[in-house]
Amino acid sequence: MTLPRQRGLTEQAADAAIDTACRMLRLPSIRKEFTEIADRALKEQMTYRGFLAELLMAECDDRARRRSERRIKAANFPREKSLRSFDFEANPNIDAATIHTLASCEWVNKGQPLCLIGDSGTGKSHMLIALGTEAAMKGFRVRYTLATKLVNELVEAADEKQLNKTIARYGRVDLLCIDELGYMELDRHGAELLFQVLTEREEKNSVAIASNESFGGWTKTFTDPRLCAAIVDRLTFNGTIIETGTDSYRLASTRAKTAEPAKVG
């Protein structure tokens, strides 16, 4: 289809031509915003170049936002969490400056690991998801999974002769977030399969884990001491370890809400 090129188009005809051209060129943001930007350009007496720059930047910004949304969706986070919504005052064990340094995602760029260790309710999963979201927003490919879910998937893949393909898929993402590592004991076969994933990613792509067990207690999860030591080594070498403490933020919050009506009474 060729658009007729005419001089002296009416405003209505010009709008229709722009709408058609944007559809053909797949420029949805310009199509949606050109009227508003054109009105603003007229009011602010923009140059032609300034007006064109505004249109193109609107399209670029919207495409970047949609790419970011697709990466966050592909990460498969169970819920939305952000650094902005985290209450650092409620858990002084987590240093805000350290977290905001991690939010730059230089550690992901370098393929370094991150370990969040602490009791239930201390903010580990919140941090894991929030930092994973930051990485996705900055253009990295991220995948979130529970430790048991990952191991079950690897066992099924091994049974179906698809193990190499599955390990390669997990090896390709820039950041693999593994939550709830240490909550359940893994048999030797499952632990070995998880070790294969970690080895595939070693010093190439980042792994971030959240665990309710200190490293000394990981022998409950990985019953083979040598394999346990090797996994700890993979997850800590050149990495960052953040201990989130033992005081549950959720429990404290619940107690505070329970005590509130009593005070009012």
Side-chain angles (χ1 to χ4, degrees), residues 56-238:
L56 295 176
M57 288 307 297
E59 186 67 42
C60 290
D61 290 345
D62 196 50
R63 289 190 180 191
R65 178 186 59 77
R66 283 183 276 126
R67 282 195 300 269
S68 178
E69 288 175 352
R70 285 195 297 269
R71 284 191 297 269
I72 291 172
K73 185 177 180 181
N76 203 30
F77 296 120
R79 53 199 171 277
E80 186 177 322
K81 295 291 183 182
S82 69
L83 296 181
R84 187 179 304 171
S85 65
F86 189 80
D87 187 353
F88 287 97
E89 290 184 5
N91 190 348
N93 292 300
I94 301 178
D95 180 57
T98 299
I99 297 300
H100 288 117
T101 298
L102 290 170
S104 71
C105 296
E106 185 61 25
W107 61 284
V108 181
N109 194 45
K110 293 178 178 178
Q112 295 172 340
L114 168 67
C115 296
L116 298 155
I117 310 292
D119 281 5
S120 180
T122 56
K124 302 183 306 299
S125 292
H126 188 132
M127 279 293 125
L128 188 67
I129 295 171
L131 288 170
T133 301
E134 290 289 329
M137 290 171 63
K138 288 179 171 58
F140 295 102
R141 293 166 297 175
V142 182
R143 184 66 187 269
Y144 170 97
T145 184
L146 298 177
T148 50
K149 185 178 178 181
L150 173 58
V151 171
N152 288 338
E153 185 178 346
L154 293 169
V155 170
E156 289 176 10
D159 292 341
E160 296 169 4
K161 311 299 183 187
Q162 297 290 316
L163 182 60
N164 289 340
K165 184 177 178 181
T166 302
I167 289 176
R169 175 159 49 83
Y170 277 106
R172 282 193 296 270
V173 295
D174 300 306
L175 172 60
L176 177 61
C177 300
I178 305 175
D179 206 352
E180 298 187 1
L181 185 64
Y183 277 77
M184 293 182 67
E185 180 182 322
L186 301 177
D187 63 28
R188 183 180 176 84
H189 181 50
E192 287 174 344
L193 294 176
L194 178 59
F195 180 69
Q196 286 186 51
V197 171
L198 299 179
T199 300
E200 176 72 17
R201 302 181 59 78
E202 186 181 14
E203 296 188 60
K204 294 186 295 184
N205 295 317
S206 291
V207 176
I209 65 101
S211 176
N212 67 324
E213 281 282 0
S214 63
F215 295 121
W218 279 25
T219 49
K220 301 173 189 174
T221 302
F222 308 104
T223 53
D224 182 328
R226 292 180 65 185
L227 181 59
C228 180
I231 288 174
V232 170
D233 181 67
R234 295 289 189 280
L235 290 173
T236 56
F237 182 67
N238 280 337

